[in-house]
Amino acid sequence: HKRLMNRVWNQLSTKKTPKTPSNDQRKTNEYAKVDPSKPLVTAREEKLVTPFTFYTMQQVRPCNLEKSGNGSRSAFEYGFPGLECIHCKGRNSRKFFYRTPEILAGNYAHVP
């Protein structure tokens, strides 16, 4: 389980480049755009986890936090990588953001 979640996390976590603050702006980070067409899990990884975990990870795709619709995710910077439901993708899709692979591993069950 932990092994798969670390692999998923590594696909999501992208290098961030610090932006130089200008005037009184606070320092922010830019995150690389993730590829939403890239599957998070492969058939080869199915044996690493329970059928529920594997199925759940098949129901999401990589995404980035956009400026619109930040809502309760204000703790995350724009562009932060996360997961998006493949069934309701688009402007009003369900999106999930996690700070660490451990948090992802402990909370992915909230996705379905």
Side-chain angles (χ1 to χ4, degrees):
H1 177 81
K2 183 177 180 180
R3 199 162 148 200
L4 178 70
M5 291 302 157
N6 281 332
R7 287 181 186 180
V8 168
W9 179 258
N10 287 334
Q11 289 183 47
L12 292 177
S13 62
T14 54
K15 292 182 180 180
K16 52 186 179 179
T17 308
K19 290 171 95 175
T20 305
S22 60
N23 300 332
D24 289 333
Q25 293 178 343
R26 63 186 174 114
K27 185 176 179 179
T28 61
N29 293 304
E30 288 185 1
Y31 296 88
K33 185 88 171 144
V34 295
D35 182 358
S37 65
K38 186 176 182 182
L40 291 173
V41 292
T42 64
R44 189 178 69 167
E45 297 166 323
E46 187 172 5
K47 63 184 177 203
L48 298 175
V49 292
T50 65
F52 174 80
T53 298
F54 186 76
Y55 179 77
T56 300
M57 289 293 108
Q58 287 181 310
Q59 306 310 304
V60 291
R61 68 184 194 162
C63 71
N64 290 92
L65 182 61
E66 298 171 352
K67 287 188 180 185
S68 62
N70 193 21
S72 64
R73 299 177 191 99
S74 59
F76 295 96
E77 296 169 327
Y78 298 125
F80 193 85
L83 305 173
E84 175 182 32
C85 174
I86 63 171
H87 304 288
C88 59
K89 59 188 175 188
R91 182 169 171 84
N92 295 320
S93 66
R94 293 185 66 201
K95 294 181 181 178
F96 308 88
F97 298 91
Y98 306 98
R99 289 261 180 230
T100 67
E102 293 79 20
I103 295 172
L104 169 62
N107 290 293
Y108 73 93
H110 293 108
V111 170

